[in-house]
Amino acid sequence: MTAFWTEADFDDHELVQLVRDRRSGLTAIIALHSTHLGPAAGGTRFWHYADPGEAMRDALRLSRGMSYKNAMAGLPMGGGKAVILAPEDKAKTPQMLAAFGDAVEALGGRYVTAEDVGIGESDMVAVSERTEYVSGLPVSGEGAAGGDPGPFTAMGIYHGIKAAVRYKLGKESAEGVHVAIQGTGSVGGGVARLLAKDGARLTLSDIDESRAAALAEELGAATAPPDAVMSVSCDVFSPNALGAILDDEGIARLDTPIVAGGANNQLARAHHGRMLAERGILYAPDYVINAGGIISVTLEYLARRNGEPSDINEVRKRIGRIPDRLEEVWRKSDASGESPDVVADRMAQELIGRG
């Protein structure tokens, strides 16, 4: 049996914990990559893994990504992630969520959880009945930050795409820019709606083809089959579904000068960032461009912990800095000849004391 700490995705993680609860049937992995800047913050993913080894790889890669994301977003939080191994029918029970909440509580504040794929606001409310170390809870009032992080993630990606279009194509507006969007859920759909308001030309794709078709009809966009969207000739390819799509085959299929989207861990392996650069494709490091959601739920959590109101204007201001961070990465990449992912990783590693 291979030990997980010898795997390529293990990166000197501070804690990797398997959680089993026989009564509820819960099996989960909680991975804390770094608490150098503060408690490890990152969402919980509820997903069926045909191979349990993929769950471990997800937890390791996603938690490291959260360390980098929170650091680059200037948040006083470390990086962590949890994955709940869903049964094949993806049945989720209150007992599972309660047991998971107990596991988070047992860590004594070292890990703060939130929504991710397969987990919504109502699930976080259930978890919060067992632990206070939860963010992304519903908020009241138009000026309050927090709640569903999806729209805030979409907002950051939208700003990041416009920054990439400006940097690579020299265009100040997204009007007429052709963007192919992979994934039309909460994040991808939000990005599409924001770009449509600017007059962008959109091609939408989703594994749920009816969802993509409905959004395309709403926005006057085109659609592409899930297995063809990466080959669409476009100005920007925006991946907003699951990660590891930028592998040898995927990169070879791309017909675009820009990759900018919200999916986590888009690069299948470290050398794939270099492959993009060698093809002249500008890459927006995923954990920089998709930080809007964690900015929102972190400020919500910190405000609640301090007994203060959360301020949506502060969230918007911080999300508005995402293009500046991306442009800094791209400038350093151009100056050094290193790919943007390498530059961003080095910047993040220095911020978490591993430079």
Side-chain angles (χ1 to χ4, degrees), residues 167 282 327-338 340 343:
Y167 193 90
L282 181 69
E327 290 172 10
E328 181 183 3
V329 169
W330 294 329
R331 287 194 301 269
K332 289 183 176 180
S333 172
D334 288 343
S336 67
E338 295 177 306
V343 171

Side-chain angles (χ1 to χ4, degrees), residues 246-260:
L246 297 174
D247 55 13
D248 291 3
E249 179 185 359
I251 292 171
R253 293 169 59 196
L254 291 174
D255 186 8
T256 182
I258 298 169
V259 173

